[in-house]
Amino acid sequence: CAGCDDGPCPTAVVDLETTAECESAVYNYLGFVNRKKAAPDYDHARTYYDKALELWPGNCGAMSYMTELHLTLNNATAASTTHARLCEECDESFAAPLVASMGACPSPTVTTEVKGQATLAGLSLADAQQNEFVIVAALADLHEVETTAVAVAFSSYTRRRLSGGVVVSYTIAYDDVAPALALDAAMFDQALTD
């Protein structure tokens, strides 16, 4: 990768024309090797993919492999987020290997995002993460969207002298204009129990 920024890049023949792009490709391949070896090292793979995307945010190969890693680790929310970014920023050929598990890239539409938070008292962070699909399904049901339109992130909280809980930060993606919402805690609790 040396010399790419100071003159003719030896990797330009494979469309890697800067040192950052070349190094990003190297980290991407290191991630792939760690993910695919006989005893996979998913933590190192993730670190390499993160570094590849830090060096070159438009590295479509790294976005595709990162999506595969999220799927392998059963992290549907992260896989959906990375897949959406891949579909938005890259040629569809990069997403083609993921069609069976993620579906085809959506056609371009106007998207409106609604962000919010819900607090779940008495639930541990580990339990929330383990049951992410239940929480995503409940939010999707309440907002009348598909589960693929829901992204969640969890954080724990504690209050003085009271039991702790989890804060669910969520984003709902609507294909057009978001409807007016009348969401209350009782509706959310009922959706979680259904």
Side-chain angles (χ1 to χ4, degrees):
C1 294
C4 285
D5 295 330
D6 301 327
C9 186
T11 58
V13 295
V14 290
D15 295 327
L16 301 173
E17 299 182 9
T18 67
T19 300
E21 288 177 356
C22 181
E23 289 176 355
S24 175
V26 170
Y27 281 106
N28 182 36
Y29 294 131
L30 288 170
F32 178 83
V33 167
N34 275 276
R35 186 169 56 91
K36 293 294 189 174
K37 63 186 183 179
D41 187 341
Y42 298 127
D43 290 334
H44 277 104
R46 170 69 188 248
T47 300
Y48 288 131
Y49 293 143
D50 284 339
K51 183 65 175 178
L53 291 168
E54 175 188 319
L55 288 166
W56 179 24
N59 185 334
C60 298
M63 280 186 255
S64 179
Y65 287 159
M66 180 74 92
T67 303
E68 289 180 17
L69 174 64
H70 291 314
L71 288 170
T72 301
L73 298 175
N74 295 319
N75 187 341
T77 301
S80 179
T81 301
T82 309
H83 183 255
R85 181 175 164 210
L86 174 69
C87 289
E88 183 179 309
E89 296 181 20
C90 300
D91 180 279
E92 198 164 312
S93 66
F94 284 97
L98 301 167
V99 168
S101 53
M102 296 296 299
C105 287
S107 59
T109 59
V110 175
T111 302
T112 302
E113 289 187 347
V114 174
K115 296 179 184 278
Q117 288 187 332
T119 303
L120 304 175
L123 187 66
S124 73
L125 181 59
D127 286 340
Q129 291 169 331
Q130 186 176 11
N131 293 291
E132 176 180 346
F133 67 97
V134 174
I135 295 168
V136 167
L139 287 164
D141 186 50
L142 286 170
H143 290 270
E144 299 177 354
V145 296
E146 297 293 322
T147 56
T148 55
V150 179
V152 296
F154 303 109
S155 58
S156 60
Y157 83 94
T158 55
R159 298 185 327 195
R160 288 186 216 157
R161 294 183 282 178
L162 297 174
S163 65
V166 174
V167 175
V168 180
S169 300
Y170 61 88
T171 302
I172 311 294
Y174 292 93
D175 287 338
D176 201 359
V177 177
L181 299 174
L183 181 64
D184 65 30
M187 289 172 57
F188 187 67
D189 289 344
Q190 182 60 41
L192 283 172
T193 58
D194 286 346

